[in-house]
Structures are given as structure tokens and as C-alpha cells.
Amino acid sequence: MKTSVTLHPALSVSGATCQGCVKKIRAALEPLTGHAELIEVDLQNQTIALPDDIDPEQAAKRVSEAGYPASPLAEKDDQPAACCASKAEKVGEKPESGASSGHDSHHDHGSGDDSGDQITLAVTGATCASCVNTIEKALNSVPGITGAHMNLADNTASVRGQADPGALVKAIERAGYGASVIEDADEADAEKQQKDQAEYRSLLVKMAISLSLGLGLMIWGMGFGSMMITEANQGTWLILGALTLVVIVATGGHFYTGAWKAFRNHNANMDTLIALGTGTAWLYSIVVASLPALVPEAARHVYFEASAMIIGLINLGQALELRAKGKTSEAVRRLLDLRPKTARVIRDGDEREVPVAEVKVGDHIRVRPGEQLPVDGVITEGETRIDESMLTGEPMPVTKQTGDEVSAGTLNTHGAIVFEATRVGSQTALAQIVRLVKQAQGSKPAIGKLADKISSVFVPAVMLIAVVAALAWYNVGPEPAVAHMMVAATTVLIIACPCALGLATPMSIMVGVGKAAEYGALIRQGDALQTASKLDLVILDKTGTITEGHPSVTKVHAVDGDEDTLLSLAAGLERHSEHPLADAIVRKAEELNLQPEDTEGFEALNGQGVRARSQGEVLRLGNRRWLESEGVALTQLDDAAQAIIDDAGTPLFLALGDKALGVIGVADAIKEDSRDAIARLHDAGVRVMMVTGDIEGTARAIAAQTGIDEFRAEVMPEDKAEVVSAMRGKGYTVAMVGDGINDAPALAAADVGFAIGTGTDVAIESAGITLMRGSLHGVPDAIEVSRATVRNIHQNLFGAFAYNTLGIPVAAGILYPIWGILMSPILAGAAMSLSSVTVVSNANRLRWFRTSGDSQGHKETQS
């Protein structure tokens, strides 16, 4: 075990927004200290706490070189830690209970709002994976940007770093696309929904026009005329060719505009392939109709109907794709729909109904039974039961009374209440959840990088294949070689559009993250979602994770038999502490109407105990190892201590000077569903370990009662990260589950960190996944959703790759020598559109996924 290291906020930093940033910063500072895993990065206050042995100037230089501008803090700025501590207390966060009650110091990775370091843009004109690659390159080229990614599923781009939003918009426009900064996410969502509906209707109209023309031309050519140019029909086909041009420009002009913009910016994308394919078919046909003598008589075939029908089929595919895309955001929309539009505010004695946007912090709001709460606040009048299932997933309403916190969007099921608004607008719990879900939906896991790499060369490669196929047909193909050449090249260009490839990952991520949110698991990054699918070891904190986090005194044993005096002394010592074990002792004394003894000079020793002076001597309360190291003999308390341990309790020894006075047993009840949740993890093939600061006997008892495979006891809070790193070194993919405060180093050291039971505030930024419920069931729920999502991504990627791998050779004519089959460009257009719709539809299957812990899912399985 290493010794305790003192940390203090030493640097201000910008651009750090997630645990990935934390790991990069720690890696940059690794050469400066042997305790890099303890370096605290406060994401809320944008500060870095360093051990005393690190020079802030050197540290700032290294962090800045890692891509996060940093500078040393002045002495007067050395405040954020205390600020965060008070915030942790506010939301009820409690540190790990060790073998003593002297655990008052804790670490806090605040929640924070990283919107100042992240800019979200609405992007127009992007249609495929190549577009995504081009836009991301354009954004990353802007000075000050530390990372950028685009989500094709909802046409947004997220940018991290320090840059002028106007410069980002210009960078995207220079790349040939449109962009605008999203100032108000809610307003942007509503506007996007309206635009999508309008675009959907427009695409259907365009589809109807172009398909009607294409089908009409085909029927006329095959039934009443001829698709071959003759002297008799040449004039008619010229008129029909001109009409076709008008229709394909009117209904597919956006493809040609997009292709031209890509060309001007030396890029190639889906629009390029469509424009080249349909343009080639129309141009060949108009040349044949205008100057038939230029081509052999057998090749005087026109393909006007193909150009029109391809545009129509692609428009149809995009319309269906757009409609299916809308369903992927249902989880977010359901959350947004939970917010009432008005609030009943009491001002100056008058009660009036105002729009929610006009509610201010400090306003008093009345909510009647059956109504939803408009903002976050604290109850000032009344008592009720609140249905918080939309936030926590817990089905049973929670009793609330004066002084209790309530959250926006929850449902008041019982009595009328008045509460004071404490958080409004974007600061409410619901708004933070929506922001996190959207952020995760737009993130890109490592698996998505494969599509990025391929898309960067895909379109140019397809164009080269089309040229090779055309040359092959022209030189060695049967007559009419010119017609066969044109058909093969056009078909290759059309069928190879990388729409499905670009949608394969983001569509599944959007649905999967939304599904996880329904189970109360807020996944902050796509990488966490992907990694959670591979977990084979889950390490659990004890207090507040496996147990309720509300210890109570179970036994008091005094050497002289005077238990009341013993408890009064202990309460006098512990009333200065804020640790949950201390609270249990003080609460027990209050229940027995005992007056705490006066003490002075209180001091807490992390992981050991607390001490103060009483009756002229040192009064100590803590674990056995510490008191014995202080020269206190405890053998006479062995039997009483062992009885406490056997009952899964923690023995706390009290001594005055070097004389043992007695032992107090404090136990934290195991949550009712912890054993079932651990059993689900075992069923999923995941090994479970508990790491706790508690003594070995208590840890062994809890492990036996809950079915935990392995445990580590008497582990100092700062050493938990070492346990995580050691298990990773053994080849495990490790998840750490903790409360997000003193477990923050371990959460960051794990492959995936789960902050459990933290609700809405502090721990939300401490881990890759935040569980809104106080139940361990959230861990297997998140793992199962993760595995289902990654499975879905694999299916989509396989489908997209297989489609292009098989489709391109067939389009080029590989089946012609065997069966005489040459694919029609019209069929290629239909197949290309179908591939995108298939990917989107497969992703939407996740919306019906149920975990093994879902009772309704069990019923359906049994039926």
C-alpha cells in the first residue's frame, strides 16, 4: 500500500470534458510523479489537483502540450475543492465506509456543464459516410479544436475545444455543406422535426413525379414505341429526353448540387456517385437520340427512364430513411414531452399561470395532484408522493415532505404541494439528462472508426472500379459494347453509394443510448457503450452500492458496563464528523436522549479514525489497527468485536488515553436487490469483486450473503485505483461501480466507470455511465443493452459491407459470363435505397429490446 498523498487544486484547464480527457491529462503528468492515478481533474470547475511534489509550471506545460490549455492557479483561486465538497453533501453523496469514522475527506469530480467547451452544429447536405469524413476533417483543421465528430443519424456535429463558432461554420461551408450553430437545443429539435416532416413530404412528391415519368417512359417504350432510336421516333425521344432532364433536375437537383460542391472542394461523396450514374445514363441517351450515327445500330438504346426511376427510388429510400430516423430519437422526445408547458407561480401573494420559460430561481410554485413538476426545487409546504420513474426507473412513488428535493418532469400523484424553484431551464435534472443522452447519441465508439477509414477512400475506389468495368466491357464485352459499357459503369456508381455504411453505427448508437436511458443508465460516450459489452469483471464499492449507505448502530459494548456513557463520549467525538458512520452514532445517541460529551481539537485521520481531547486526555474512535498502533490494548473486546463482524457489522473501538472503553457495532443493511443483481451479472458471464475500506470479517460476511466471487478489504480510498489497474493487468476488462466521489480515481482507472445512485448531480461526470437508480440492477441492465447495441452495430456493418462487397461485382457484370445477367441501373437504385432503409430498420429493432431484469420481458419470454 502506498502512503496517502496530499492534493491541492494547482492548475486551471480548459477543454477537459470527459473521463477520456482525464486519462490523457494523467498520462501527460505521469513522468512527473509516481502518483498519477491520484491526480484529480475537476470537470465542473476546470481545475487539476496535484500532489505537492509536482511543479505547477511543468505540469501546466505538459497538460497544454496534451491538447488542454492549462495554467497555474493563484493562491486565492485554490477554492474549488471545498465548493465541490459542499455540492456533494447537497445531493446526499457519501464516501465509502472504512473501518473507522474518520473518513471525512473525499474527492469530487463534479458534474459540470461542459457546454462552454463543446459546440454543437446543425449540418445540412451530408448524405453518406464520405460526407461525414470530409466534415470531420474540415472541423479538425480549425485551430483550437481538440476533437470533432459528426452524427449522420441526426445531422449534427459536435466540436470540443476553443474556437470561434463562426470559423467552424465557415469550415463546413468551405467543404461544400451547410451549417449553423445550435444555440437552443430544444428550439433546434423542434425546428429540425418540422424541417424533417417538410422534407419527408417533399421527397415523397419528388419520388412520385420522377417514378411516374420513369414508369410512363418504360410503358410507352415497351408497349407503344421502342426503347431503340429509329428515324420514326427520334424526334419524340428528343422531346422526352428534354422532359426527363427537367424532371430529374427538379426532383434530384440536390444530388447534382451536392456533387458540384464536392467537386469544387476536391471531394467525392454519395451525391457524386448518383450524379455521375444518372447523368451518364441521360447524357448517353441524349447523344444517341441526337446523333444516332455516332454509335452502332445495336447500341442505339435510350435510358431516360432509368435516370428518372433511379432518382425516384433514391428519393423514396431517403424518405423512408428519414421517417425511420425520427423513431430513433423517441427516447429523447419522451423525456422532453415530460415537461409541462406552464407553471402555477405564487408571486406577491397572487397565484398566476406563466410559461415554464419565465419561471425564476426562488419562485414558489404550486403543484396539484396529477400534475407534473415544471422545474427542480425544494418543498416548502405540503406532503405528497412523487412518481420519479422517468428519472430513476423506480416504479413506486416516493414520499416527499417539506425540505425534500423534487425534479422537473416527475409526477405528483397524491397531495398538493408548494415548492421553491432551485434549478430552472437547462439546469434542471431532466435537462441535464436530455443533454447527456443527446451527447452520447452523437458520440462515436471505436467500432465506428472502421467505417470512417473505409469511407475516406471508398468513393474514389468505386469511381475507379466503374472506369475499369467500363473499359473491360468496351474492349472484351459483347455487342453492343458501348451500351453494355454505359450500363455497367452506371450500375456500379449507383449501387455503391455508401449511405448504409455511414448510418450503420450512429443509428444503433442513437437507439441503444435511448434504450439505456429508459433503464436509468446515462451513457456519456459511445466508447463506454462499446466497452461495457466486453466486461468480464465488475468491481463494486460497498457503501451505497451493495448496501443502503445508511448505517445504524447495532451493538454497544462498554468495558465497565456503562453503555450510555460510552455512547455519549462517542457522540461527542463524532458530531464534528460528516461521515455516515459518525451520523449513525450521533443519531443513536439522540434516539436514547443522551447528551454528547464536550470535546475539543477534533481531528479526522482518513482510513483510521477520529480523535479529540476530552477530560484532559486524547479520546480516539476508530479501527483496531490504528488504536493498537497508538498503544491501546483491545484483547478484552475480542469477543464483542467478533460478534459484530459475524453480523456483517463494523466494530469501532473507543479509547481514552491508552485505556479501551468499549466497542460500538455499526452495520449498513444490504440492499434488497443486490443479491439478485449480482446473480444477473454471473448469468452474463461477469465475475464480481468487492473492494472496501471495511475490515476483512465484515467484507467476508457481506460477500457470502450476496454471492460475490472475491473481495479486497481494508483498502484505502486512494488505493482502489491500484486494485482496478492490477485486475486490468491480469487481462480483465474491468468496470468499477462506486459513488463517484472518493471512488473517482478508481472510476477513471477502470475500462468503464459506473456511478451508481447519484441521481442528477456530482457523479454524473465521474464515470462513463451514470446509473440514475440506487439499484445494482442498473449495471447488468447497462451491460445487456450495451451487448445488444454492439451486436446490432455488427449486424449493420456486416450488412453494409456485404451489400457493397457483393453488389459492386454483380453490378460490374461478373455474372454475365456465367448466366448472361447484367444488372439494370434501375434495380441498382432500388437496391441502394433498400440497403439504407434496412440498416435503419435493423437499428430500430433495439427499441423493443428488454433486459433479463425486466419483469414484462420475462412474461413475454415465458409465453
Side-chain angles (χ1 to χ4, degrees):
M1 298 289 182
K2 63 180 182 291
T3 58
S4 177
V5 177
T6 301
L7 300 178
H8 63 278
L11 305 178
S12 64
V13 66
S14 61
T17 59
C18 65
Q19 286 304 314
C21 303
V22 173
K23 290 181 180 179
K24 290 178 183 177
I25 290 171
R26 286 192 175 131
L29 296 175
E30 178 70 35
L32 299 181
T33 179
H35 306 293
E37 75 280 358
L38 289 181
I39 291 169
E40 295 293 338
V41 182
D42 187 331
L43 297 172
Q44 176 190 13
N45 292 289
Q46 292 288 283
T47 60
I48 301 176
L50 303 173
D52 291 328
D53 60 353
I54 295 183
D55 177 27
E57 293 287 351
Q58 291 185 7
K61 182 179 179 182
R62 285 185 172 272
V63 173
S64 298
E65 289 173 351
Y68 304 93
S71 60
L73 277 171
E75 287 296 322
K76 63 183 177 67
D77 293 331
D78 193 9
Q79 302 297 329
C83 168
C84 295
S86 64
K87 187 175 183 182
E89 294 158 15
K90 170 184 161 188
V91 296
E93 294 285 355
K94 297 184 184 291
E96 167 71 338
S97 75
S100 79
S101 58
H103 325 337
D104 297 276
S105 62
H106 60 264
H107 306 295
D108 175 11
H109 282 207
S111 62
D113 186 338
D114 53 31
S115 58
D117 299 307
Q118 178 165 308
I119 301 170
T120 305
L121 305 167
V123 179
T124 57
T127 54
C128 66
S130 293
C131 301
V132 171
N133 187 63
T134 300
I135 290 168
E136 288 179 349
K137 281 185 177 179
L139 289 171
N140 280 312
S141 68
V142 177
I145 294 304
T146 58
H149 65 261
M150 182 187 166
N151 184 355
L152 184 62
D154 66 356
N155 290 316
T156 61
S158 296
V159 183
R160 295 189 308 277
Q162 302 295 324
D164 176 26
L168 300 174
V169 171
K170 288 180 180 178
I172 293 178
E173 290 175 344
R174 282 196 299 270
Y177 304 90
S180 60
V181 179
I182 295 178
E183 302 284 358
D184 185 322
D186 293 348
E187 186 178 325
D189 283 341
E191 186 177 336
K192 182 179 183 299
Q193 196 170 351
Q194 292 178 352
K195 285 183 177 179
D196 286 349
Q197 291 174 350
E199 185 180 356
Y200 174 71
R201 291 191 293 268
S202 174
L203 286 169
L204 289 181
V205 171
K206 291 177 178 178
M207 175 272 297
I209 293 172
S210 50
L211 279 184
S212 297
L213 175 64
L215 286 171
L217 291 175
M218 184 182 293
I219 294 171
W220 183 85
M222 296 176 65
F224 303 100
S226 172
M227 304 300 287
M228 303 294 292
I229 296 296
T230 64
E231 289 184 5
N233 64 18
Q234 182 179 6
T236 303
W237 275 118
L238 283 171
I239 296 172
L240 292 175
L243 177 61
T244 302
L245 178 62
V246 172
V247 170
I248 63 175
V249 169
T251 62
H254 50 291
F255 298 126
Y256 299 99
T257 302
W260 174 246
K261 288 181 179 178
F263 175 74
R264 287 178 56 191
N265 289 278
H266 311 292
N267 295 319
N269 55 24
M270 183 194 93
D271 292 338
T272 305
L273 299 182
I274 294 173
L276 282 174
T278 57
T280 299
W282 182 86
L283 189 60
Y284 174 83
S285 300
I286 202 67
V287 169
V288 169
S290 304
L291 303 167
L294 292 180
V295 296
E297 186 175 346
R300 294 172 186 172
H301 190 291
V302 291
Y303 297 92
F304 292 128
E305 88 290 350
S307 296
M309 290 188 71
I310 289 169
I311 295 292
L313 289 168
I314 293 174
N315 279 332
L316 174 60
Q318 289 191 340
L320 296 176
E321 177 187 310
L322 191 64
R323 185 177 181 183
K325 275 184 182 181
K327 295 179 181 179
T328 64
S329 298
E330 280 189 358
V332 173
R333 279 204 297 274
R334 279 198 295 269
L335 288 173
L336 292 173
D337 289 343
L338 290 171
R339 301 174 304 180
K341 301 296 185 290
T342 60
R344 195 171 291 103
V345 177
I346 303 172
R347 291 176 182 165
D348 301 324
D350 293 329
E351 190 171 306
R352 68 189 76 170
E353 195 162 304
V354 302
V356 171
E358 295 181 11
V359 176
K360 301 174 182 177
V361 173
D363 277 343
H364 284 74
I365 302 164
R366 187 182 303 280
V367 181
R368 294 178 296 203
E371 294 181 340
Q372 290 172 318
L373 279 70
V375 296
D376 292 1
V378 176
I379 296 177
T380 57
E381 294 179 27
E383 182 176 333
T384 187
R385 292 179 66 80
I386 301 286
D387 181 352
E388 297 182 329
S389 58
M390 47 72 63
L391 278 180
T392 67
E394 299 286 0
M396 296 301 294
V398 180
T399 299
K400 298 283 186 177
Q401 55 191 0
T402 302
D404 288 341
E405 293 189 358
V406 289
S407 299
T410 54
L411 180 66
N412 181 25
T413 63
H414 185 60
I417 58 170
V418 174
F419 72 94
E420 180 181 344
T422 56
R423 289 189 292 263
V424 300
S426 63
Q427 300 305 312
T428 65
L430 181 59
Q432 290 185 48
I433 292 171
V434 170
R435 178 179 62 81
L436 284 170
V437 171
K438 287 182 178 179
Q439 178 181 314
Q441 286 182 329
S443 64
K444 183 179 296 182
I447 194 172
K449 309 292 172 59
L450 177 63
D452 289 349
K453 291 178 181 178
I454 293 176
S455 66
S456 63
V457 297
F458 185 80
V459 173
V462 168
M463 294 170 67
L464 182 60
I465 292 171
V467 171
V468 172
L471 291 174
W473 277 99
Y474 184 77
N475 288 290
V476 299
E479 292 297 334
V482 175
H484 286 145
M485 173 188 73
M486 193 279 302
V487 169
T490 300
T491 307
V492 168
L493 291 170
I494 296 298
I495 203 169
C497 291
C499 315
L501 191 61
L503 292 168
T505 301
M507 291 302 297
S508 297
I509 290 292
M510 285 188 72
V511 183
V513 168
K515 175 58 66 172
E518 291 180 13
Y519 283 98
L522 298 184
I523 297 173
R524 296 187 58 248
Q525 293 293 332
D527 280 337
L529 179 68
Q530 181 181 346
T531 306
S533 69
K534 299 181 285 188
L535 292 173
D536 49 19
L537 174 66
V538 170
I539 297 177
L540 304 175
D541 171 39
K542 178 177 76 69
T543 304
T545 302
I546 300 171
T547 63
E548 294 286 355
H550 304 294
S552 58
V553 174
T554 57
K555 183 176 180 64
V556 179
H557 176 81
V559 173
D560 61 5
D562 188 353
E563 296 177 353
D564 286 352
T565 300
L566 180 73
L567 199 55
S568 294
L569 281 167
L573 186 57
E574 290 287 35
R575 65 180 173 176
H576 302 289
S577 173
E578 295 175 355
H579 190 273
L581 297 187
D583 181 63
I585 292 173
V586 174
R587 194 169 61 248
K588 183 67 174 179
E590 290 175 350
E591 289 174 2
L592 298 176
N593 295 317
L594 299 177
Q595 183 66 34
E597 294 289 337
D598 292 331
T599 59
E600 58 183 19
F602 173 82
E603 184 182 3
L605 288 81
N606 191 27
Q608 296 175 324
V610 293
R611 64 189 174 195
R613 296 195 67 81
S614 177
Q615 304 172 21
E617 294 191 75
V618 177
L619 182 67
R620 299 180 183 89
L621 179 68
N623 62 41
R624 183 181 197 118
R625 184 170 53 184
W626 176 52
L627 263 69
E628 287 183 339
S629 71
E630 295 286 305
V632 180
L634 301 174
T635 52
Q636 58 187 320
L637 296 172
D638 285 350
D639 292 342
Q642 190 58 49
I644 292 170
I645 292 170
D646 292 343
D647 196 30
T650 299
L652 302 177
F653 297 89
L654 183 68
L656 185 63
D658 59 0
K659 179 184 177 182
L661 300 181
V663 62
I664 299 174
V666 181
D668 190 1
I670 296 172
K671 293 179 182 177
E672 292 183 1
D673 56 3
S674 287
R675 184 175 181 84
D676 290 340
I678 290 168
R680 286 181 61 198
L681 288 171
H682 287 152
D683 291 342
V686 178
R687 186 174 178 81
V688 182
M689 174 190 287
M690 178 177 67
V691 178
T692 176
D694 222 331
I695 61 174
E696 184 171 344
T698 301
R700 179 178 287 107
I702 289 177
Q705 292 177 35
T706 56
I708 288 172
D709 302 298
E710 186 179 355
F711 67 89
R712 299 280 192 277
E714 300 182 50
V715 178
M716 298 288 282
E718 60 267 27
D719 293 325
K720 291 181 182 179
E722 286 189 352
V723 176
V724 172
S725 298
M727 299 312 294
R728 290 184 68 195
K730 292 181 180 181
Y732 286 103
T733 303
V734 180
M736 174 67 197
V737 186
D739 64 10
I741 300 177
N742 61 0
D743 295 312
L747 288 168
D751 293 291
V752 179
F754 286 83
I756 189 169
T758 56
T760 61
D761 217 333
V762 177
I764 222 164
E765 296 284 357
S766 299
I769 301 176
T770 299
L771 304 178
M772 300 299 295
R773 298 162 59 185
S775 167
L776 263 182
H777 276 293
V779 180
D781 282 344
I783 291 174
E784 289 178 33
V785 171
S786 169
R787 290 178 177 178
T789 303
V790 171
R791 216 169 27 243
N792 194 271
I793 292 174
H794 285 151
Q795 293 165 358
N796 283 346
L797 287 174
F798 174 79
F801 286 137
Y803 163 80
N804 282 309
T805 301
L806 297 174
I808 291 175
V810 172
I814 196 172
L815 299 180
Y816 190 87
I818 306 173
W819 292 300
I821 297 174
L822 182 60
M823 183 182 288
S824 163
I826 297 174
L827 182 59
M832 187 272 285
S833 295
L834 183 62
S835 68
S836 299
V837 174
T838 301
V839 163
V840 176
S841 300
N842 185 57
N844 272 300
R845 287 193 310 111
L846 283 171
R847 294 192 298 124
W848 291 281
F849 173 78
R850 294 186 184 278
T851 69
S852 62
D854 192 317
S855 59
Q856 186 176 353
H858 286 313
K859 290 176 184 176
E860 290 178 357
T861 302
Q862 292 165 1
S863 63

